[in-house]
Amino acid sequence: MDMGLNNKTALVTGSTKGIGKAIAFELAREGVNVLINGRSNEEIERIVQEIKLEFPATSPQNATADIVDSKKREALFKKYPNIDILVNNMGIYEIMQYEDIEDEVWEKYFRTNVLAANGLSKFYLQSMLRNEFGRIIFIASEEAMMPSGQMPQYCMTKSMLLSLSKTLSKLTRGTEVTVNTIMPGPTLSENVQQIIEGMYSNEEMSFSDKEKAFMTTNLPQSELQRFIKPIEIGRLTTFLSSPYIAAFKGSPIRMDGGMVPTIY
């Protein structure tokens, strides 16, 4: 299916690896000129060259910036004042015990996972409304609506993104601008794969068997019984970026592999 995205411009935050990288590649597959973002100029240049090689008809660009820093965001706005698609993917997470989380940690997660995305959205929403087209997509988590209790500081911020997305969507009434949120379940990032390999390092098992063993023991509530692949999230994000989804307004879209047990 042609997504109607040829020659659109998208900024994908945190796009040098994992979900962000997969989103960038899937958008480029549809002819989108992707702005690759992260803090390492070297890593970003590597991804830009990979995309140019695989999708030579597109024009990926280097958007190096620590978007948690408001001054660095301002510099990014000056370099790229107009985009069609904003994917707020960048975020941090860590398993922590509630009683060990100091105020500074709560504040760090709020600044990183919420305020950075809000700052980008606040700026680019205005130009999208003026241009009468735009897509803002937040990448949250199933933890936003079903906290496990293992990452309170992370869950708080992901729940905030649902509220922020719905609030911003109200500002797009009567326009072809949309604001939506994707809530992935457990995803096979590079870091997760290393953890799984390490857990079964002494056993002669294929990674698929290790993955099944882990899911059975640790995530039995998953109906998928495997980790979600970043490319799958990339494809859904690409669909939500297309001109054909204008009816999705402020929608929290679950892609949790059946982790959430409720019907809504």
Side-chain angles (χ1 to χ4, degrees):
M1 178 179 177
D2 182 356
M3 294 293 175
L5 288 170
N6 193 52
N7 215 32
K8 297 290 188 186
T9 299
L11 170 60
V12 183
T13 67
S15 44
T16 59
K17 58 185 178 181
I19 293 173
K21 180 181 176 181
I23 291 171
F25 270 77
E26 291 309 301
L27 286 169
R29 194 182 306 279
E30 291 296 322
V32 175
N33 301 316
V34 185
L35 309 181
I36 304 300
N37 168 255
R39 292 181 296 179
S40 169
N41 186 68
E42 183 178 347
E43 286 185 3
I44 289 171
E45 279 300 323
R46 177 175 55 82
I47 301 301
V48 166
Q49 293 307 316
E50 285 182 22
I51 294 176
K52 280 184 178 179
L53 183 63
E54 189 165 351
F55 308 107
T58 69
S59 180
Q61 299 293 319
N62 184 320
T64 302
D66 180 359
I67 59 172
V68 179
D69 186 323
S70 60
K71 292 182 179 179
K72 301 291 178 60
R73 289 200 301 268
E74 289 294 333
L76 186 64
F77 298 155
K78 290 179 181 178
K79 187 175 182 180
Y80 300 110
N82 290 288
I83 62 174
D84 303 294
I85 302 158
L86 170 62
V87 182
N88 287 307
N89 165 74
M90 188 277 294
I92 56 174
Y93 66 94
E94 181 183 359
I95 292 177
M96 298 187 74
Q97 296 296 317
Y98 175 73
E99 58 271 19
D100 296 333
I101 305 173
E102 302 293 340
D103 285 353
E104 291 77 11
V105 175
W106 290 103
E107 290 169 1
K108 177 183 177 181
Y109 271 78
F110 180 55
R111 288 194 304 272
T112 305
N113 291 359
V114 180
L115 289 186
N118 180 66
L120 293 171
S121 302
K122 183 178 181 180
F123 178 83
Y124 286 116
L125 178 60
Q126 301 310 309
S127 61
M128 289 178 181
L129 292 172
R130 287 194 300 269
N131 296 335
E132 299 182 353
F133 178 84
R135 301 285 182 261
I136 296 177
I137 301 168
F138 294 93
I139 304 300
S141 166
E142 95 282 354
E143 293 262 2
M145 61 184 301
M146 191 184 73
S148 65
Q150 296 182 320
M151 297 184 286
Q153 79 293 357
Y154 171 78
C155 296
M156 174 198 71
T157 61
K158 293 303 180 178
S159 297
M160 285 179 170
L161 292 182
L162 296 184
S163 177
L164 178 58
S165 175
K166 191 65 176 179
T167 298
L168 296 184
S169 183
K170 297 295 184 182
L171 306 180
T172 70
R173 183 175 180 178
T175 75
E176 291 298 314
V177 178
T178 65
V179 185
N180 295 294
T181 307
I182 296 173
M183 295 184 288
T187 302
L188 191 62
S189 65
E190 294 91 339
N191 185 46
V192 169
Q193 183 159 354
Q194 289 176 1
I195 292 172
I196 301 304
E197 293 282 14
M199 290 178 66
Y200 301 93
S201 59
N202 296 324
E203 300 183 41
E204 294 183 2
M205 302 166 65
S206 67
F207 180 77
S208 177
D209 288 337
K210 293 177 182 180
E211 183 179 32
K212 288 177 183 176
F214 178 87
M215 296 298 288
T216 299
T217 303
N218 297 278
L219 296 171
Q221 68 271 41
S222 167
E223 295 175 17
L224 188 61
Q225 279 300 291
R226 66 167 173 80
F227 285 96
I228 297 165
K229 299 173 184 177
I231 193 174
E232 294 174 304
I233 302 169
R235 288 168 178 165
L236 176 58
T237 305
T238 300
F239 174 65
L240 282 176
S241 300
S242 79
Y244 310 129
I245 58 86
F248 284 81
K249 289 277 196 176
S251 299
I253 300 162
R254 283 168 42 182
M255 191 182 188
D256 55 40
M259 288 283 292
V260 180
T262 57
I263 62 175
Y264 186 76

